[in-house]
């Protein structure tokens, strides 16, 4: 379990990124931090592995204060996946995945075998093992980034807007792949995004942050959708603009679910009655809002659900972060190589 206990962060320029933040994140589930620019979500994530040091307060992992741990050792036991993958351009796919195990003095043969295993786990063809990042698509690079984050079999995986730089179709594939991996591995995942739809799709728990790292609302997607805690939350999730208010439309024998903007959100199955509507995606229900069926829905066609077409929001910069440059790791060599450097970002 990860616990934030009265955490605050003020940067040297006076910016208060996080103000007295306290929250417990349950183990083996996905907690999503979502908010607009300046809400402190990335700052909170980076304080877990001490890439950013808090000004005050404590962060505990299984009741152990991370401030008491060597930061390099801490980072090497926590998986970290960032936007744009952060791969080392002069290393092959296999070498990128094996980097941290080798830094942890894992024998080279074992690290390479683990890298091959993780390529399969994240859906990468083994033929890509000797390619360099520049020879991969954006989606393939992000899969390598996820594999590298899992390379030391961490209990905790930190993901900082990992799918924000890919096109919507690839993004959807990566989201579904993450849910599949989580069903298999059951990690404690802290995921940062600016996209509320992504948060509701991926999160077991969603924390909506306002400026200064204040918790506007924390709960399950169902709880937040059914009972927004404030006007700010209602506006952020789109409830006040009717975006979450769904209606039905008949088209060519199908009952379509239409959102408040007039966009098609999915199709309705015959078993659905009055109440919350969920459109399945990647093995987890996607929470769309509330809907009441009219009399025309008495005999609905038995149709498979499809994923909604949810647009992609543009990303915005966070509050100033501490710059942690990637180390110069050199070439991967024998099993005895373990330079005492920081984990690559």
């Amino acid at each position: 379990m990860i616990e934030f206990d009265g955490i605050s962060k003020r940067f040297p320029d006076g910016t208060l990124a996080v103000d007295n933040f306290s929250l417990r994140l349950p183990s083996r589930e996905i907690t999503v931090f979502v908010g607009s620019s300046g809400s402190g979500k990335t700052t909170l994530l980076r304080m877990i592995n001490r890439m950013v040091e808090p000004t005050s307060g404590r962060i505990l992992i299984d009741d152990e204060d991370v401030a008491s741990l060597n930061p390099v050792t801490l980072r090497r036991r926590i998986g970290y996946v960032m936007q744009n993958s952060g791969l080392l351009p002069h290393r092959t796919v296999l070498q990128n995945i094996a980097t941290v195990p080798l830094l942890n003095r894992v024998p080279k043969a074992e690290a390479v075998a683990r890298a091959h295993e993780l390529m399969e786990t994240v859906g990468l063809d083994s033929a890509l093992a000797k390619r360099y990042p520049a020879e991969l698509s954006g989606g393939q690079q992000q899969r390598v980034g996820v594999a590298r984050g899992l390379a030391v079999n961490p209990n905790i995986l930190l993901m900082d807007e990992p799918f924000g730089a890919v096109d919507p179709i690839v993004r959807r594939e990566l989201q579904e792949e993450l849910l599949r991996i989580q069903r298999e591995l059951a990690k404690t995942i802290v995921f940062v995004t600016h996209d509320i739809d992504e948060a509701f799709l991926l999160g077991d728990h969603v924390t909506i942050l306002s400026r200064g790292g204040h918790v506007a609302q924390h709960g399950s997607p169902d709880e937040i959708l059914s009972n927004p805690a404030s006007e700010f939350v209602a506006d952020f999730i789109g409830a006040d603009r009717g975006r979450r208010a769904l209606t039905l439309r008949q088209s060519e024998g199908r009952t379509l679910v239409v959102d408040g903007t007039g966009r098609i959100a999915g199709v309705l199955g015959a078993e659905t009655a009055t109440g919350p509507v969920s459109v399945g995606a990647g093995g987890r229900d996607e929470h769309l809002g509330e809907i009441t069926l009219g009399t025309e829905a008495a005999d609905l066609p038995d149709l498979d659900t499809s994923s909604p077409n949810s647009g992609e929001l543009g990303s915005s910069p966070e509050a100033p972060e501490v710059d942690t440059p990637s180390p110069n790791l050199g070439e991967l060599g024998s099993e005895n190589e373990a330079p005492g450097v920081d984990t690559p970002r």
Side-chain angles (χ1 to χ4, degrees), residues 314-343:
S315 61
S316 302
E318 283 287 346
E321 305 288 2
V322 174
D323 185 20
T324 308
S326 299
N328 181 10
L329 297 175
E331 293 300 323
L332 291 182
S334 68
E335 64 187 61
N336 294 322
E337 288 185 350
V341 297
D342 196 353
T343 303

Side-chain angles (χ1 to χ4, degrees), residues 146-159:
V146 173
R148 186 177 64 181
L150 294 170
V152 292
N153 194 25
N155 291 325
I156 297 172
L157 182 63
L158 308 180
M159 307 189 77

Side-chain angles (χ1 to χ4, degrees), residues 229-250:
S230 65
E231 291 185 6
F232 171 82
V233 174
D235 178 68
F236 192 84
I237 68 175
D240 67 331
R241 300 186 298 276
R243 181 183 171 198
R244 302 291 173 183
L246 306 181
T247 57
L248 300 181
R249 179 187 302 167
Q250 296 291 330

Side-chain angles (χ1 to χ4, degrees), residues 178-193:
L178 176 61
L179 291 175
R180 180 190 64 79
I181 291 171
Q182 177 64 355
R183 287 194 299 271
E184 294 179 3
L185 303 181
K187 301 296 183 180
T188 301
I189 297 178
V190 185
F191 191 103
V192 164
T193 183

